[in-house]
């Protein structure tokens, strides 16, 4: 199966590009607005949207926007396998739930609904590339994501270790995992669109579409106007 550029509409490019911009921009600006100095190496992203945080609406809107972008990207990413697309959309819904159930500043890791929503979002964003994979030469390189899936799961494992042990790099690990997870849908979309451009059809599939040559008949004409039964016609 060959996918064309039309399989990923323009709004899919827009949503996949907006997600990392909203996420990174949101946590950067929100951290700068906190009184004193907010340490992004130790402080979590959720703390910027927590009850009691300064201008918490900013990070809350960023979470909502990122969740909506993941849902839109899942709908647009037609070359990917359906289970992966559904998991990406589920991650978007879970990200919206993260914003809907904020933590209370200074209360630790937060409420159970917030923790469950964050776990579903992180887990789904790490696992969806595996379920979205396509096999064969007709698939874009980003839909054969063995290395990418390993990297995303590795970053998620680092964040889990920091979270469990109360490490001093909790915020850094969370931002590394969340940033990579937000960027990967964009990489998949761009790869699929580039792969679907004219001239990118795999040769084996192209040859399969070419049928056997039909024999010439006496009433067939070539470009010179002669008949096939003329002398010297091959």
């Amino acid at each position: 199966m060959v996918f064309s550029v039309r399989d990923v509409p323009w709004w899919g490019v827009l949503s996949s590009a907006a997600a990392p911009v909203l996420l990174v921009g949101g946590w950067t600006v929100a951290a700068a607005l906190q009184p004193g100095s907010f340490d992004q190496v130790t402080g979590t992203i959720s703390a910027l949207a927590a009850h009691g945080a300064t201008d918490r609406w900013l990070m809350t809107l960023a979470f909502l926007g990122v969740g909506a972008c993941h849902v839109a990207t899942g709908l647009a990413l037609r070359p990917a396998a359906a289970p992966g697309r559904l998991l990406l959309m589920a991650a978007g819904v879970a990200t919206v739930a993260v914003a809907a159930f904020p933590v209370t500043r200074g209360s630790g890791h937060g409420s159970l609904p917030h923790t469950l929503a964050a776990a579903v979002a992180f887990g789904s964003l790490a696992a969806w590339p595996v379920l979205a994979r396509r096999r064969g030469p007709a698939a874009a390189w980003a839909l054969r994501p063995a290395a990418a899936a390993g990297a995303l799961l590795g970053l998620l494992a680092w964040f889990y270790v920091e979270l469990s042990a109360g490490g001093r790099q909790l915020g850094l690990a969370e931002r590394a995992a969340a940033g990579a997870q937000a960027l990967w849908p964009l990489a998949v979309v761009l790869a699929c669109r580039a792969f679907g451009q004219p001239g990118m059809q795999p040769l084996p599939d192209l040859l399969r579409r070419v049928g056997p040559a039909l024999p010439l008949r006496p009433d067939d004409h070539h470009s010179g106007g002669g008949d096939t039964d003329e002398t010297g016609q091959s």
Side-chain angles (χ1 to χ4, degrees):
M1 182 177 183
V2 177
F3 305 107
S4 69
V5 69
R6 294 187 300 272
D7 287 319
V8 183
W10 65 268
W11 49 269
V13 180
L14 182 62
S15 63
S16 62
V21 173
L22 287 172
L23 184 62
V24 178
W27 80 48
T28 301
V29 176
L33 293 175
Q34 301 308 305
S37 59
F38 183 86
D39 189 354
Q40 298 199 65
V41 175
T42 59
T44 65
I45 303 172
S46 295
L48 298 170
H51 290 299
T54 302
D55 293 320
R56 59 175 297 269
W57 62 267
L58 181 61
M59 197 64 229
T60 299
L61 286 180
F63 279 140
L64 293 174
V66 171
C69 286
H70 287 329
V71 173
T73 303
L75 291 171
L77 199 53
R78 300 165 190 163
R85 297 172 62 194
L86 290 174
L87 198 58
L88 177 58
M89 289 186 281
V93 175
T95 304
V96 172
V98 168
F101 300 104
V103 300
T104 300
R105 192 169 187 178
S107 64
H109 300 317
S111 64
L112 180 60
H114 179 89
T115 302
L116 290 176
V120 171
F122 271 112
S124 299
L125 287 170
W128 82 270
V130 178
L131 298 183
R133 66 177 302 180
R134 293 282 190 180
R135 300 178 183 273
W141 64 267
L143 293 177
R144 291 170 281 181
L152 293 177
L153 291 171
L155 290 172
L156 182 58
W158 177 31
F159 171 55
Y160 178 76
V161 170
E162 291 287 331
L163 183 64
S164 301
R168 296 182 178 180
Q169 295 183 327
L170 176 59
L172 178 61
E174 183 185 27
R175 283 163 175 77
Q181 290 177 349
L183 282 170
W184 184 246
L186 174 60
V188 176
V189 166
L190 294 180
C192 289
R193 284 183 65 91
F195 194 84
Q197 293 288 352
M200 296 299 291
Q201 187 178 30
L203 182 59
D205 188 73
L206 179 63
L207 293 177
R208 283 195 296 269
R209 294 174 179 266
V210 179
L214 297 177
L216 295 174
R217 297 176 300 178
D219 57 343
D220 288 333
H221 295 275
H222 59 71
S223 58
D227 292 327
T228 57
D229 58 351
E230 290 179 352
T231 302
Q233 175 69 30
S234 58

